[in-house]
Structure formats: C-alpha cells, structure tokens
Amino acid sequence: MKKADPTSPIPAVEAIRRSWERCAANGLRNNEHLPDGILPRASLADRLEGNARLVAYAQPIMEHLHQQIARSSSTILLADDAGMILRAVGDADFAERAARVALQPGVSWAECTMGTNAIGTALAEQRPMAVIGTDHFLERNRFLTCVATPIHGPAGGVLGILDISTSAQLSQIHAQALIQTTAEIIENRLIESIPEAAVTIRFHPQAEALASPLEGLAVFNEAGEMLACNRRGETLLGIGDSRKERPAFSRIFETRWTTLLDHALSSSLRPTLLCAHGGREFAARVQAGRLQALRPVAASAPGMPAARRGVTLEDLDLGDHTVASAVRRARRIVGLDIPLLIQGETGTGKEVFAQAFHHSSPRRDGPFVAINCAAIPANLIEAELFGYRAGAYTGARGEGARGKLREAHGGTLFLDEIGDMPLRLQAVLLRVLETRRVTPLGGGPEEAIDLALVCASHRPLKTLCETGEFRPDLYFRLSAMSLALPTLRERSDIEALARRILRDESPDRPLRLAAATLDVIRRHQWPGNIRELKNVLRLATAMLGPDEATITPDHLPHDLIDASETRPTTQSLRAAETRLVEETVARHAGNISAAARELGITRTTLYRKLRRG
C-alpha cells in the first residue's frame, strides 16, 4: 500500500476508509441517535476560558470569513484540540438544520462520538486538511459537506480546528483555500502576541508581498533566539518545522543581530534588506515589541531614583475568593493582545483593577490613559478618542489634539462605562481594534497604534446587546476575557481592605480600627461600595485628634452609625439574600455553577433559593 502524503488534504478514499474502520471499532452505528454530548453552560465556559487566546483571535477573523461566504447555507466553527465546538458563526437559515445534528458550541465532534467528519477526522489523521463530502459515517450527517484544518500554536501542537460546514454546493477547492488562509491568519496573530517577543520580522523576497498573506513572520527574543515562525516563513527560509528546530537569527541571516536591533528601534516602518546565508535576500519590516519597553530601563542613569511602583494585580488580592479569581484570570492574559472587560457596580474598583493590570504588564513604563465614555458628550467622544486636526470642527483647539488612542500608544487605554458609547462610534472603534490604525478628525495620514485595551461597565453589556444598545460584534471582540468584581457587601476581605485604605490615606501615621468600628463596617450595606468606604475612612482620619491613633465609631459619619444600628427583620434578610443570589447569577450570565462557587453553596441549594425568591 502506498504511504499517504502527510501534507495532502484528507479526503482521499484511503483516509476515509480508515476513518470508517475506526468508527466501527468504536462501536458506532450508522443510524444511531444523537449522543447526549452538549456540555452544561458552566463546562463550556471553562472550555472557553481555557482557550481564551485562541477564541479572542479567531472570533473576529471567523466573522470576516463568514462575510465572504454569507448566504451559502453554511457555518464556520472553531473547535478545541479535543474536537469540542467553542464558537459558531453562520447563516440563520442553516443554524436550525445544524442544531438538529448538534453542530453547535458545547458539543464534541470527535470522531469517536460523531463518526467520520472534518473536525474529528482532521484530529484523528493529524494532517493539514480534512474534506468530507457525503462520506460521513453517521447517516444523519450526510447532508453536510465539511472542510477543516488544524490551527497550530506558536510553541507547537494543535490548538484547535477551524471548520466550514455547509449543506450547499460550496466549491471544495474554494473552501479549502479560504479555510487554510484563515487558519494561517489566526496562527500569525497568535505568533505576534507572544509576550516574550522582543523583535518581529516580516519578510519576503519581493517587497511588494510584504503586508500580504504571502509574507513570512518570525519573532525573536532580545538575544536573537527564535521564538516562533509561521508556515510561510518556514518555507521561505527552508528551515522545516521551526517549532522543533528554532534556529537563532545568526544561523539564518548574515546580517548582524545588533544592526537589526538598531533598525528596529530607530526606523521600524522603513523596509530593510536581510541577507541570509547562501546568498538569499529578503525585504523585511522589523518591529520592536518588548524590546521597546526594555530600552528605557537599560538607558536609565545609575543612581536615579526609581519611579513609585503602581498597584499591581497581586496587591489587590487581600483574601476574598472572587477577587482572587479575577486576579488569577487577568494575570493569564497580561502582556497578550487580548482585551480585558471588567464589569461590576459603580464604586467596586474597576479603574483601580485596570491600573493594576497595566502595572503588572510589560507596558508598565508606558502611559495609562483613561476616558469615561459616560462623562463626555456624545458629539465629543470621537474627537477625544481619535484626536483632530486644527479647525476640524467649530470650537476645536487651534493646535489640534492627538486623541486618547494615540496618547495611549505603547501603554494601556482604559474605556470606562463603554456601555454608554454611542452606537455609531462603536462601529468606528471596532474598525480601529481590527486595523490598529487611527485617522484624526479632519483628515490626515493614518497612524499605527500599539496599546492594550481595558474596558469597564456597570451595565451588563450582554443585555445591552439584546436590547440593541450595544453592538454584538464589538461585545464579542471585547469580552474574550471578561470578569466581574464583587460589591463591597459581598467581599469577605472588607477588614483587610479597610486597613489597606487607612495605610494609603495616612502612610506616615499608623492608624488602627477599634473593634466596634470594624463591627459597624461589617454590618453596613455599602451601596457606594469601595468609593463610599474610602470617603468614610478619609473623613474619620480627618476627625482624629492630633494624639489619637484609633478610629472609633465616634469618628464615623452619623448616618453610617444610624444605618448600622437598624436591625433588619427576618423578611428583609430573606429579601437581601434573594437579591444577592439573583445579582450573583446575573453577574455570571446565568452560569449556575460559577454563581454557586462564588456564594459557597451547592447548585441544588442555589436552585432552591432562586425558586423561593
């Protein structure tokens, strides 16, 4: 028997025959009923969180791909490395038919459960492309034509599977080309976002091919060691699988590494010529990544005092389980090109969390630029974000303005209360997030921007999408990593938090809280959350005498004492408990398991409390 070419697509008769044999060996029957394979919402949420980077980069590119084949009775699917579908983007008329065979997020399409299919067979055969026409093992799936290809991670291995499934006569050759190109774009974005990357090089023998799908892409650390290279780059350089070899820059190119570093730091927008060993030449664009952030540190004069360290994510963890979980999840994407969405009531510390995220990232030496979308008139938000040229509109400053997006270049942009951003501007922001280029109002050249994005809202964005007040495509772009901060009344670390605030308010004067004061703090409902607690402790500090170091209830506002001394009735306690349960479930978007974990009760108990409420 002729050995199969591991680089060829899978729809060869021999490959399908092997798949059918595996299905029969696994005990599948052609006409068996649908398996009970839909994951609970909590489990799917865990899968999505575990694949946050993959989903974040794949989602917008899948939506773009769908625009190319819209109205073709098809769907584009993203599955993880076990065949579990994570995301689906497709035509509404096809969604119903797909749901009948469980072709939807939360369902495993591994070959052992769904028989011969493009997703499962691509994983089983471990080859670049699987094309399954009407050769599905299970009869119920034979109306589908599927094309799938693996998405490889920068460090090697398969991260997931990208699939096009259709019931129409979509050209398989066209579909293969689209899915292959799309997978390569996703892989490139993953390579570009490697946090350790000091230098990114885009190269091709022809300068005209730069910034096209044909260009090679490689990233290196400060020492010139290759961290990753895309498929095109491996072919152009003739280095085989870079995930196995990872040759150093000096082994590939004759150009000196120090010369390349100087070019990266001084004129990265101008193409340069790279000479490879063997006489090959490449036009290249070189971009400084982490190298740019490291340079100011290296250039600091000896003996200069270090800047005051900002609050980091670790500083926020004072013992509360929910806050600790939020810190842990945010830490996973520090330094990556993945937006962070923070939700929670007003005063829960969303901006402080955003600042801590910035100070914990490689961009800590860059600017932290905050803008409150709810505090700026709708007709001025665009000018605030994008800047404007002189005379761009009536009332504009004569010298123009750079705008917050360009001011945040090299650092972090924090968009507070993004739920209040006008719909028209949401579309413009989405385009900027995709292109990473900004054009000021009044015209002028586009300017590339490099920033981390953190957004916050006290309004549930998912609900705003359902009411038409927020664009779903922007929500999906921003919510790859979404976390909710608890209210102050829900936190178990309120005493530690109060002491931390006191230290910040009076760093040179050690203060303590009396036991009776702590009791008042524990019993108060804190409708204003951390902001209210800060104001109370600031006033209490001002009320202390010059020789006093202990804050007693006498130093607290009278209305705080009055509210704390009002003992709630059994009925009001039950109402408060019901409100707490409902708010927790809503904050976790209906995820019962996550809500139960936060409340410290079982799912059964949580369901009982919801029914009682």
Side-chain angles (χ1 to χ4, degrees):
M1 181 184 299
K2 183 179 179 180
K3 187 176 180 180
D5 178 5
T7 65
S8 65
I10 292 178
V13 173
E14 188 64 27
I16 292 176
R17 183 186 65 79
R18 290 195 299 270
S19 175
W20 277 53
E21 289 176 351
R22 289 192 295 268
C23 294
N26 286 327
L28 293 179
R29 296 187 301 275
N30 289 23
N31 59 352
E32 69 177 351
H33 297 293
L34 282 172
D36 184 16
I38 300 180
L39 283 176
R41 292 186 64 179
S43 300
L44 177 57
D46 291 340
R47 290 290 187 102
L48 289 170
E49 181 177 334
N51 292 274
R53 290 188 66 228
L54 174 62
V55 173
Y57 289 114
Q59 179 78 35
I61 299 172
M62 290 168 63
E63 292 170 356
H64 177 72
L65 174 58
H66 177 246
Q67 294 174 5
Q68 314 305 310
I69 59 172
R71 296 180 296 278
S72 61
S73 294
S74 61
T75 187
I76 301 161
L77 304 165
L78 176 68
D80 65 12
D81 58 359
M84 183 67 63
I85 297 176
L86 302 174
R87 289 288 197 217
V89 179
D91 296 330
D93 65 329
F94 183 67
E96 183 178 351
R97 296 192 68 185
R100 293 175 190 168
V101 294
L103 191 66
Q104 62 193 68
V107 181
S108 172
W109 274 68
E111 196 179 67
C112 60
T113 58
M114 288 296 186
T116 304
N117 71 89
I119 293 175
T121 306
L123 287 170
E125 289 282 332
Q126 290 292 300
R127 284 201 251 168
M129 186 80 67
V131 182
I132 308 297
T134 58
D135 304 302
H136 290 265
F137 183 80
L138 301 182
E139 290 180 0
R140 65 169 181 268
N141 296 337
R142 291 177 186 169
F143 73 95
L144 294 170
T145 295
C146 307
V147 180
T149 189
I151 299 172
H152 293 95
V158 175
L159 286 183
I161 299 290
L162 191 65
D163 171 277
I164 296 178
S165 292
T166 178
S167 61
Q169 295 300 315
L170 185 67
S171 166
Q172 289 188 359
I173 295 177
H174 182 218
Q176 288 180 47
L178 283 174
I179 201 99
Q180 184 72 38
T181 301
T182 303
E184 289 183 15
I185 293 173
I186 296 171
E187 290 173 353
N188 288 352
R189 295 298 304 277
L190 290 167
I191 290 173
E192 293 168 347
S193 68
I194 295 176
E196 298 83 10
V199 174
T200 300
I201 305 176
R202 305 172 190 277
F203 57 94
H204 194 273
Q206 299 175 327
E208 295 79 9
L210 294 177
S212 80
L214 301 177
E215 70 179 6
L217 172 68
V219 295
F220 298 82
N221 63 16
E222 301 96 294
E225 299 168 340
M226 180 183 285
L227 300 176
C229 183
N230 70 353
R231 306 184 200 183
R232 304 276 182 175
E234 292 170 356
T235 301
L236 290 171
L237 298 175
I239 60 175
D241 188 348
S242 68
R243 290 173 288 271
K244 298 177 182 177
E245 298 182 17
R246 294 198 175 185
F249 181 86
S250 59
R251 287 181 52 197
I252 306 171
F253 299 102
E254 294 179 354
T255 305
R256 292 170 60 91
W257 175 244
T258 53
T259 301
L260 185 84
L261 293 183
D262 289 340
H263 178 83
L265 290 168
S266 61
S267 54
S268 61
L269 295 179
R270 178 171 54 85
T272 188
L273 184 67
L274 289 182
C275 298
H277 295 301
R280 292 169 299 163
E281 293 184 343
F282 297 94
R285 290 189 185 276
V286 187
Q287 180 180 357
R290 183 168 176 264
L291 181 68
Q292 191 70 48
L294 293 172
R295 191 187 195 195
V297 177
S300 297
M304 289 293 290
R308 184 181 182 275
R309 182 179 69 91
V311 175
T312 66
L313 288 171
E314 285 71 20
D315 296 329
L316 300 182
D317 186 359
L318 298 178
D320 180 76
H321 172 75
T322 305
V323 174
S325 176
V327 167
R328 184 171 61 252
R329 295 178 64 201
R331 194 184 295 122
R332 293 178 182 176
I333 64 168
V334 163
L336 305 181
D337 185 19
I338 297 177
L340 174 65
L341 175 61
I342 309 170
Q343 300 198 85
E345 286 186 10
T346 299
T348 50
K350 297 187 289 295
E351 182 166 356
V352 172
F353 197 100
Q355 291 175 342
F357 182 80
H358 169 73
H359 290 131
S360 302
S361 77
R363 300 174 182 272
R364 64 179 67 89
D365 295 319
F368 177 85
V369 179
I371 181 169
N372 189 326
C373 300
I376 300 176
N379 61 330
L380 294 181
I381 292 182
E382 188 169 3
E384 284 288 325
L385 279 176
F386 302 103
Y388 53 86
R389 298 183 65 186
Y393 61 91
T394 303
R397 291 188 305 187
E399 66 275 17
R402 285 184 54 77
K404 300 298 185 182
L405 283 164
R406 290 188 289 174
E407 288 177 5
H409 178 71
T412 301
L413 177 67
F414 175 56
L415 296 179
D416 197 8
E417 301 305 349
I418 193 171
D420 293 300
M421 178 177 285
L423 280 169
R424 181 185 62 82
L425 190 55
Q426 291 176 27
V428 181
L429 176 62
L430 180 63
R431 181 183 63 81
V432 170
L433 295 179
E434 294 298 329
T435 64
R436 295 292 170 144
R437 305 188 72 84
V438 175
T439 303
L441 297 183
E446 281 191 328
E447 185 173 328
I449 56 171
D450 175 27
L451 52 81
L453 180 65
V454 182
C455 300
S457 177
H458 75 282
R459 306 170 68 192
L461 295 188
K462 192 171 184 179
T463 302
L464 296 181
C465 290
E466 295 170 356
T467 59
E469 297 176 75
F470 202 82
R471 291 179 62 100
D473 49 1
L474 179 58
Y475 171 71
F476 288 128
R477 184 71 175 81
L478 299 178
S479 63
M481 176 58 77
S482 177
L483 52 88
L485 297 183
T487 61
L488 184 56
R489 60 184 172 274
E490 297 170 326
R491 293 181 59 157
S492 59
D493 61 348
I494 188 169
E495 294 180 20
L497 181 60
R499 293 189 177 100
R500 165 73 63 79
I501 293 172
L502 273 185
R503 287 198 299 270
D504 292 341
E505 288 294 323
S506 181
D508 302 323
R509 181 186 179 188
L511 301 177
R512 61 182 296 272
L513 296 165
T517 305
L518 287 172
D519 185 56
V520 172
I521 290 174
R522 281 192 295 265
R523 286 190 283 119
H524 188 58
Q525 288 298 298
W526 300 108
N529 292 298
I530 298 175
R531 185 176 295 131
E532 182 185 3
L533 176 61
K534 284 184 176 180
N535 289 335
V536 165
L537 294 178
R538 184 175 294 121
L539 174 63
T541 302
M543 296 296 293
L544 286 170
D547 299 325
E548 292 181 296
T550 301
I551 295 177
T552 68
D554 292 335
H555 299 113
L556 300 178
H558 294 305
D559 56 347
L560 189 75
I561 303 297
D562 294 340
S564 300
E565 290 178 349
T566 303
R567 299 187 60 83
T569 63
T570 302
Q571 182 178 4
S572 64
L573 283 173
R574 177 168 293 184
E577 180 188 63
T578 300
R579 185 173 64 254
L580 172 61
V581 167
E582 291 175 346
E583 288 175 351
T584 305
V585 172
R587 189 167 59 253
H588 288 282
N591 188 327
I592 296 297
S593 296
R597 282 196 299 270
E598 178 179 328
L599 292 168
I601 59 179
T602 65
R603 294 177 61 188
T604 302
T605 302
L606 180 54
Y607 276 121
R608 185 173 66 250
K609 291 180 181 297
L610 286 171
R611 286 195 298 269
R612 185 189 66 190

